[in-house]
Amino acid sequence: MSENNAEVQKVTLIDESGDEALYEVLFTFHSDEYNKDYILLVPEGIEDDEEVDIQAYIFNPDENGDATEEELIQIEDDKEWDMVEEVLNTFLEDDSNFN
């Protein structure tokens, strides 16, 4: 058991083929505009300079802020997706998020 307080949360996702892939939680945020919580995931074990597909979902965290794969909801609305991309881009541009 790690005693690292900054331990990264991980989520297992199953793709259309039924293959499991482990993802790390990049960050979560709440949108007042949509009154929803969002979670952004990256594949586990990637290099810092590696280009990856970031997965984004709507999620309903429990009282501990956790969610299971079953609680991840696809983002269907284009305007909502644009808002999520804007938050992601702001996060990626802030180097202090990658210390």
Side-chain angles (χ1 to χ4, degrees):
M1 187 85 175
S2 172
E3 293 188 18
N4 181 355
N5 289 339
E7 190 168 323
V8 177
Q9 282 186 293
K10 298 187 178 171
V11 177
T12 301
L13 298 181
I14 300 172
D15 65 17
E16 302 82 33
S17 309
D19 296 324
E20 288 187 4
L22 196 58
Y23 284 79
E24 294 178 357
V25 176
L26 184 60
F27 69 98
T28 61
F29 71 96
H30 178 80
S31 167
D32 290 333
E33 181 182 354
Y34 290 94
N35 195 28
K36 294 178 187 170
D37 290 293
Y38 299 88
I39 187 167
L40 285 89
L41 307 170
V42 294
E44 182 196 40
I46 56 155
E47 300 297 322
D48 286 343
D49 58 352
E50 195 175 337
E51 195 168 304
V52 296
D53 287 331
I54 296 173
Q55 305 289 319
Y57 297 93
I58 299 164
F59 84 122
N60 298 311
D62 61 20
E63 61 276 355
N64 298 322
D66 297 326
T68 63
E69 181 190 0
E70 291 78 36
E71 295 164 324
L72 301 182
I73 303 159
Q74 293 284 343
I75 299 169
E76 306 281 342
D77 182 80
D78 286 342
K79 286 186 175 142
E80 191 173 2
W81 187 251
D82 290 344
M83 177 275 302
V84 170
E85 280 189 335
E86 199 171 299
V87 172
L88 172 60
N89 289 337
T90 301
F91 176 85
L92 294 176
E93 289 167 6
D94 185 349
D95 291 338
S96 68
N97 289 317
F98 299 100
N99 290 340

